[in-house]
Amino acid sequence: MTYIIAAVVVLIAVVVFGSFSRKRIYKQIDRLESWKMDIMNRPLTEEISKVKGLTMVGETEEKFESWRSDWDEMVTVELPNMEEALFDAEESADKYRFGKAKGILHHIESRMQAMEERIKAISAEIDELITSEELNREDIIEAKEQFSEAKKYFLTHSRSLGKTAVLFEEEFTEVNAKFVRFDELTSQGNHLEARKILVESIEKLKEARSKMESVPELLVMLLSDLPSSLKDLQDGFFDMEQQGYVLNHIGIDKEITAMNETITKLLEKVYALEIDETQKGIEQLNAEIDQLYDLLENEVVSKQFVIKEKEVILQSLSDLQLDMEKIRAEADMVALSYQLDHSDVEVHKRLEKLFTKLQTRFSIIEQSIEEKKDSYSVIREMMEEMAVQLEDVKKSNHEYQEKLISLRKDELQTKERLKELRRKLLEARRMVQKSNLPGLPDHYLVTIEKAESYIIEVSKRLDDKPLEIADVTEVLEKALEAVEEGYRETAEIIETALLAEKLIQYGNRYRSSYSSVSVRLIEAEIAFRNYQYEEALTIAGTAIESVQPGILKEMEINLKQKI
């Protein structure tokens, strides 16, 4: 039972596959049949018949017979054979010979594709032949008119063409021969070859006309304009030499000789009608002449630069020399107090050498100008280089000077601060003198003496050789502290003494009323006369506060406002 079912399934599959394959092949047969009918209905016969309107001789007749023969072969032989092949493919499909059917259809399609390409080629050849004949009829008229105009132009301008006139006559003879050949080919029905000859003639005629128009101008340039330009250039060169310019580096004689040789070679090219190469050569010559003029102009500009820059450099050297002298003096002064690094000493020596070299170089430049040893452009380059070196030396000089100043910076700052301390101590003395105090307490005198001794010590340390700035700074800090302390004590003593004096004077009003106050004020007066101002203030303040509380604070505020 299983085998039966399997056999039925296989049979059904074979039937389905066969049906599907036949449908595909029938579809291809229908397509190829439609293609075949389309080819048969092509109006190629009518297209070929168009050629009958031309003179049926030579190439035209040959091509006509070839096209008609090819088309007849396709219609009467190849297409009927394809019809039979299509029947064979259909029969093979009906018999399930699908491989054979496919092979036949593939062969038919290849043959029909080749047929399509041949039909397209025939149509293109027909169009080319007919078009060539039509264009030839139109273009030959215009070509002969252009030939006539070119010949007329030649006759009018033959004198300005010089030696090239013979070559143009040969060109016209050749073009005329091509026209004759064109007529022969046309009469023989060889329209395609005639077309080729006509196109060549037209191009040759255009080229000849273009060259005829270019030659006179080129001859004028080579025979007149360029030689004249070279003569002007040489005259200008000699004039500048007479004015004192040094122009040996330009080599004008060699350049002009070479350019004259080039002109001769370019004339030969013109006489050979090598127009494009000649034009390029003339452009190159003009560029070279412009280059030489640029060199001469550069000398004129360089001379103006040299004359102006000479004074500038001279002034710069003078200024730099003054700076060098100042720095030398500064370095000597620093060397007295400080041990300069070996590198700093070497920098200074190097700057001195560079400055000497610059002075020597400037002397060479001056000598070169006076004796006319070099061109102004060369001297200008020397000056520009020297200007850069001058700026470098100035910059290095400034940096070295800043370094020297930096070395003395602490010393100078210390001296300035020392001046300030002396002024402050002097101000403290003046404050004491103005206060009219009866005397000064011992502790205050000790403080002032201490401050003065530190100031003296700082001053002595500054005179040490070599200067040890770290030690000076240490003593200076002590002097600052002592002077500040003395100044503060001065202010405090004066303020305390004034307040004590005011309180004693104010307390006199209570002497008769309060015996205890009178006793305390006497004690305060004794302390005041013994320069014990704080003690006098305390005693007087306590006594008066006992009878008039708050008076001490009030008087203290008033006194500070006045001060």
Side-chain angles (χ1 to χ4, degrees):
M1 188 67 181
T2 303
Y3 293 112
I4 295 172
I5 293 172
V8 171
V9 170
V10 170
L11 181 62
I12 292 171
V14 170
V15 171
V16 171
F17 174 75
S19 175
F20 177 75
S21 297
R22 273 190 301 176
K23 283 182 180 180
R24 288 184 62 186
I25 289 172
Y26 290 159
K27 190 174 181 180
Q28 289 185 47
I29 291 171
D30 291 341
R31 179 175 65 80
L32 293 173
E33 179 67 27
S34 298
W35 192 358
K36 178 181 73 68
M37 293 303 296
D38 178 64
I39 292 174
M40 288 184 68
N41 293 327
R42 298 280 174 83
L44 193 60
T45 302
E46 288 79 358
E47 289 186 43
I48 296 172
S49 298
K50 292 177 183 178
V51 181
K52 289 183 178 181
L54 306 178
T55 305
M56 296 299 290
V57 292
E59 182 185 42
T60 303
E61 185 177 11
E62 289 175 8
K63 286 187 173 291
F64 177 79
E65 293 300 332
S66 174
W67 296 333
R68 189 171 64 176
S69 174
D70 286 352
W71 178 242
D72 288 344
E73 176 74 16
M74 284 185 273
V75 172
T76 60
V77 179
E78 292 188 29
L79 288 175
N81 288 342
M82 290 179 191
E83 181 70 27
E84 291 180 9
L86 287 171
F87 281 126
D88 291 342
E90 187 174 1
E91 185 177 350
S92 297
D94 290 340
K95 293 178 181 180
Y96 289 87
R97 296 176 181 175
F98 302 124
K100 182 179 179 181
K102 288 179 181 179
I104 294 170
L105 293 177
H106 180 72
H107 177 69
I108 292 170
E109 184 158 3
S110 297
R111 293 289 303 280
M112 291 181 74
Q113 186 64 43
M115 200 179 296
E116 282 283 7
E117 291 174 1
R118 179 57 186 148
I119 290 170
K120 287 180 182 178
I122 291 171
S123 296
E125 289 172 6
I126 292 170
D127 289 340
E128 183 183 13
L129 182 61
I130 293 173
T131 302
S132 295
E133 192 276 337
E134 291 175 353
L135 289 174
N136 285 350
R137 276 188 283 110
E138 296 172 0
D139 291 350
I140 189 61
I141 297 170
E142 185 179 352
K144 287 183 176 180
E145 287 178 357
Q146 290 177 358
F147 179 80
S148 178
E149 290 176 5
K151 197 73 180 290
K152 191 183 297 183
Y153 182 90
F154 170 74
L155 293 172
T156 306
H157 298 84
S158 59
R159 291 185 64 182
S160 62
L161 295 173
K163 295 179 182 180
T164 63
V166 177
L167 298 177
F168 285 115
E169 285 181 347
E170 293 174 358
E171 295 274 344
F172 288 131
T173 300
E174 188 178 342
V175 171
N176 191 57
K178 286 183 178 291
F179 284 160
V180 172
R181 178 61 180 156
F182 170 83
D183 291 337
E184 290 174 357
L185 291 170
T186 301
S187 64
Q188 293 169 4
N190 297 332
H191 300 293
L192 295 176
E193 190 175 350
R195 180 68 190 165
K196 183 179 178 182
I197 294 292
L198 181 58
V199 169
E200 289 176 358
S201 301
I202 292 171
E203 288 300 319
K204 196 167 189 63
L205 198 57
K206 285 181 180 177
E207 186 180 350
R209 178 62 184 265
S210 174
K211 287 180 178 180
M212 276 194 297
E213 292 174 352
S214 299
V215 165
E217 183 181 354
L218 295 177
L219 289 175
V220 169
M221 288 289 294
L222 293 169
L223 294 172
S224 177
D225 293 351
L226 284 172
S228 178
S229 294
L230 291 179
K231 180 67 168 56
D232 292 342
L233 178 62
Q234 196 166 33
D235 290 344
F237 181 88
F238 291 144
D239 286 344
M240 287 183 65
E241 280 192 325
Q242 293 298 318
Q243 295 172 31
Y245 287 90
V246 179
L247 304 174
N248 298 333
H249 64 291
I250 296 178
I252 194 73
D253 292 334
K254 182 180 177 181
E255 294 288 340
I256 289 179
T257 299
M259 286 191 278
N260 278 321
E261 290 173 358
T262 302
I263 290 173
T264 302
K265 291 177 182 178
L266 291 176
L267 276 170
E268 292 173 1
K269 289 184 181 293
V270 174
Y271 295 144
L273 296 182
E274 296 175 8
I275 305 302
D276 290 340
E277 290 186 23
T278 304
Q279 288 174 334
K280 289 178 183 177
I282 289 174
E283 289 175 4
Q284 180 63 30
L285 270 178
N286 282 322
E288 290 173 6
I289 291 172
D290 289 342
Q291 227 171 20
L292 289 172
Y293 272 116
D294 288 342
L295 288 174
L296 294 180
E297 184 180 354
N298 184 46
E299 289 302 318
V300 175
V301 174
S302 295
K303 181 180 180 181
Q304 296 170 351
F305 175 87
V306 166
I307 292 171
K308 179 181 177 183
E309 193 66 15
K310 178 184 172 185
E311 298 303 320
V312 174
I313 292 178
L314 186 61
Q315 184 61 48
S316 295
L317 282 171
S318 178
D319 294 341
L320 184 57
Q321 185 172 17
L322 290 174
D323 289 341
M324 296 292 290
E325 290 172 358
K326 288 179 182 177
I327 290 174
R328 195 180 301 115
E330 183 76 17
D332 291 342
M333 184 179 295
V334 171
L336 293 174
S337 302
Y338 299 90
Q339 184 66 40
L340 292 173
D341 291 341
H342 178 70
S343 59
D344 293 332
V345 175
E346 288 302 314
V347 166
H348 187 234
K349 287 180 179 179
R350 184 176 63 84
L351 288 174
E352 293 278 4
K353 288 179 181 178
L354 284 174
F355 178 69
T356 302
K357 284 183 180 180
L358 287 175
Q359 287 179 316
T360 303
R361 177 162 294 186
F362 185 70
S363 297
I364 293 171
I365 290 173
E366 284 187 313
Q367 186 179 3
S368 182
I369 295 170
E370 291 172 4
E371 298 179 4
K372 299 184 177 8
K373 289 183 176 180
D374 296 299
S375 65
Y376 282 110
S377 57
V378 171
I379 296 172
R380 176 179 182 172
E381 290 177 5
M382 292 168 64
M383 281 187 164
E384 287 174 339
E385 184 180 352
M386 185 175 176
V388 173
Q389 292 174 342
L390 263 172
E391 286 302 316
D392 290 342
V393 173
K394 282 181 182 178
K395 183 179 178 182
S396 300
N397 218 29
H398 179 72
E399 290 173 356
Y400 184 67
Q401 189 175 26
E402 289 292 322
K403 191 162 189 178
L404 290 176
I405 292 171
S406 177
L407 283 173
R408 297 193 62 201
K409 185 178 179 181
D410 291 339
E411 177 189 356
L412 296 174
Q413 286 181 346
T414 300
K415 287 181 177 180
E416 190 61 35
R417 294 180 77 178
L418 192 60
K419 288 180 183 178
E420 293 176 4
L421 292 180
R422 284 174 174 157
R423 283 196 296 269
K424 199 159 191 177
L425 206 55
L426 181 61
E427 184 181 347
R429 288 197 183 98
R430 288 174 179 170
M431 288 168 59
V432 171
Q433 289 174 358
K434 288 181 180 179
S435 65
N436 294 319
L437 296 178
L440 295 169
D442 293 338
H443 69 86
Y444 171 75
L445 294 174
V446 170
T447 301
I448 295 300
E449 286 176 4
K450 181 181 176 183
E452 288 177 344
S453 66
Y454 279 134
I455 288 175
I456 293 169
E457 186 176 355
V458 171
S459 183
K460 287 180 179 179
R461 293 289 180 93
L462 285 172
D463 292 333
D464 289 345
K465 306 298 179 189
L467 180 64
E468 296 293 340
I469 198 66
D471 293 344
V472 174
T473 302
E474 183 180 351
V475 178
L476 178 65
E477 291 298 325
K478 294 178 180 179
L480 282 169
E481 185 179 345
V483 169
E484 286 296 329
E485 184 181 356
Y487 190 85
R488 185 178 63 255
E489 284 190 19
T490 300
E492 288 175 356
I493 287 172
I494 292 171
E495 184 178 341
T496 302
L498 288 174
L499 184 57
E501 186 177 13
K502 293 288 184 183
L503 276 172
I504 292 171
Q505 291 173 356
Y506 184 82
N508 287 333
R509 67 184 65 186
Y510 297 109
R511 281 180 183 268
S512 58
S513 303
Y514 301 95
S515 59
S516 60
V517 172
S518 179
V519 172
R520 297 294 288 169
L521 288 177
I522 292 170
E523 292 175 359
E525 287 175 354
I526 295 169
F528 189 87
R529 284 194 295 271
N530 291 324
Y531 322 137
Q532 298 172 357
Y533 304 117
E534 289 185 12
E535 185 178 351
L537 176 62
T538 302
I539 295 170
T542 303
I544 298 171
E545 282 285 332
S546 65
V547 295
Q548 189 178 346
I551 187 61
L552 179 60
K553 188 68 174 176
E554 182 182 341
M555 291 186 71
E556 186 177 356
I557 292 172
N558 291 334
L559 180 62
K560 284 184 177 181
Q561 286 177 350
K562 288 180 181 180
I563 293 173

